Amino acid sequence: ESSATRPLLRALDAALAERGVPVLNRPSLIAATARDEAFRRLAGLDAVRIPASAQVGRADLARVAAGEVAIGARVPDCEFPVIVRPVDSHAGHDLARLEHARDLRAYLEATAGDGFFVSSFVDYRDADGLYRKYRVATIDGEPFAVHLGVSSHWMIHYLNAGMTESAAKRAEEERFMRDFDFDFGRRHGDALREIARRFALDYLVIDCAQMPDGRLLVFEVDPGAVVHAMDSDAMFPYKRPAMRRVFDAFRAMLERARRAP
């Protein structure tokens, strides 16, 4: 989902409606994974925390930076520190955590774009001071482990989490993937299935964390996130069997759709 692809999603939806064939992940449903719409879809789900997110224009952010208006007037229930990123940015590009309204001035001077997603920063550190971001795929509503990134920095991307440099981190990811059905997947299974139900997508990827109070902190939902088995078998021997479960479930979903009347 992005502003660039929305016209294509609408065109695909109209074309597919005329074909009368089974369709997985209908384009009209993909559009609902936008950050602000995702917040509206998941608001009120007790087992889930998702910070309010809204698109804010550059001029409005400049007014916040100048102290003319509070950030809460532009984003519901939002206060500093905040997370700011340009609309349609991904993989941490121009993503920043700003502690005070005055920090917005320098951010806007250094960052291009007319619109930005803004949300409150949620401190999701565990007791050991580390941040953990879990990636889970739901296939036909059922959750599957994809990966776990462990980092001392709040902005986790798997490639910058230092997983190749730390045997302890890899051992933790192995436990997450191996024991998913009996541990993480059991604790949060109902919440993950409800997220899948609310978006009604046959295939969805969820990036999330586990809050100290036990709730699932949702960062993003996206049917286009990277799910792969390309890591070194020597360094990550546990990944290929876990990912085989994901791929087998995906193929089974395709086969069920093919056979549907």
Side-chain angles (χ1 to χ4, degrees):
E1 183 281 331
S2 70
S3 58
T5 62
R6 282 186 206 123
L8 176 59
L9 290 172
R10 288 193 293 268
L12 284 171
D13 212 47
L16 289 168
E18 299 175 356
R19 295 292 300 274
V21 296
V23 178
L24 297 172
N25 275 16
R26 285 199 169 274
S28 59
L29 299 176
I30 292 174
T33 61
R35 295 181 190 277
D36 47 355
E37 178 61 25
F39 165 71
R40 288 189 286 270
R41 289 284 176 106
L42 299 181
L45 184 53
D46 291 340
V48 167
R49 169 107 187 254
I50 180 168
S53 181
Q55 289 191 41
V56 183
R58 175 176 289 272
D60 279 337
L61 283 183
R63 292 185 64 202
V64 174
E68 298 173 7
V69 63
I71 191 64
R74 294 293 177 262
V75 185
D77 302 318
C78 186
E79 58 184 20
F80 285 91
V82 299
I83 300 294
V84 183
R85 76 188 82 206
V87 171
D88 292 342
S89 69
H90 294 281
H93 184 68
D94 286 331
L95 171 66
R97 171 184 167 182
L98 305 180
E99 300 295 324
H100 307 284
R102 61 180 177 271
D103 298 331
L104 275 168
R105 187 186 303 276
Y107 176 81
L108 291 173
E109 289 175 353
T111 310
D114 295 323
F116 301 84
F117 277 116
V118 182
S119 61
S120 293
F121 171 75
V122 177
D123 191 346
Y124 62 100
R125 276 177 297 183
D126 285 318
D128 60 2
L130 296 177
Y131 297 92
R132 289 167 172 84
K133 187 173 79 169
Y134 303 84
R135 176 161 289 181
V136 176
T138 61
I139 301 171
D140 264 353
E142 286 300 310
F144 294 85
V146 174
H147 69 220
L148 163 64
V150 183
S151 177
S152 58
H153 194 277
W154 64 269
M155 186 171 59
I156 301 178
H157 298 288
Y158 195 84
L159 293 179
N160 70 14
M163 301 298 290
T164 58
E165 291 82 25
S166 172
K169 290 181 179 181
R170 295 195 299 275
E172 183 174 344
E173 183 182 42
E174 179 178 12
R175 291 191 296 272
F176 164 68
M177 301 184 83
R178 182 192 64 212
D179 301 335
F180 182 81
D181 289 345
F182 312 102
D183 190 6
F184 190 94
R186 174 171 288 181
R187 287 197 307 278
H188 302 293
D190 289 345
L192 292 166
R193 292 183 185 94
E194 179 61 15
I195 292 170
R197 189 192 70 79
R198 292 192 179 197
F199 284 95
L201 286 163
D202 305 280
Y203 171 76
L204 183 65
V205 181
I206 303 164
D207 281 343
C208 56
Q210 186 171 253
M211 296 286 293
D213 63 7
R215 287 182 295 169
L216 201 66
L217 175 65
V218 174
F219 300 122
E220 184 176 8
V221 293
D222 180 7
V226 175
V227 176
H228 68 89
M230 297 187 292
D231 287 312
S232 163
D233 288 336
M235 182 167 288
F236 299 92
Y238 55 88
K239 280 199 171 183
R240 193 169 296 275
M243 296 312 298
R244 179 56 52 197
R245 294 187 63 211
V246 180
F247 301 154
D248 287 348
F250 191 88
R251 289 191 180 96
M253 176 183 66
L254 295 179
E255 184 64 19
R256 285 191 295 273
R258 185 184 70 85
R259 293 178 177 178

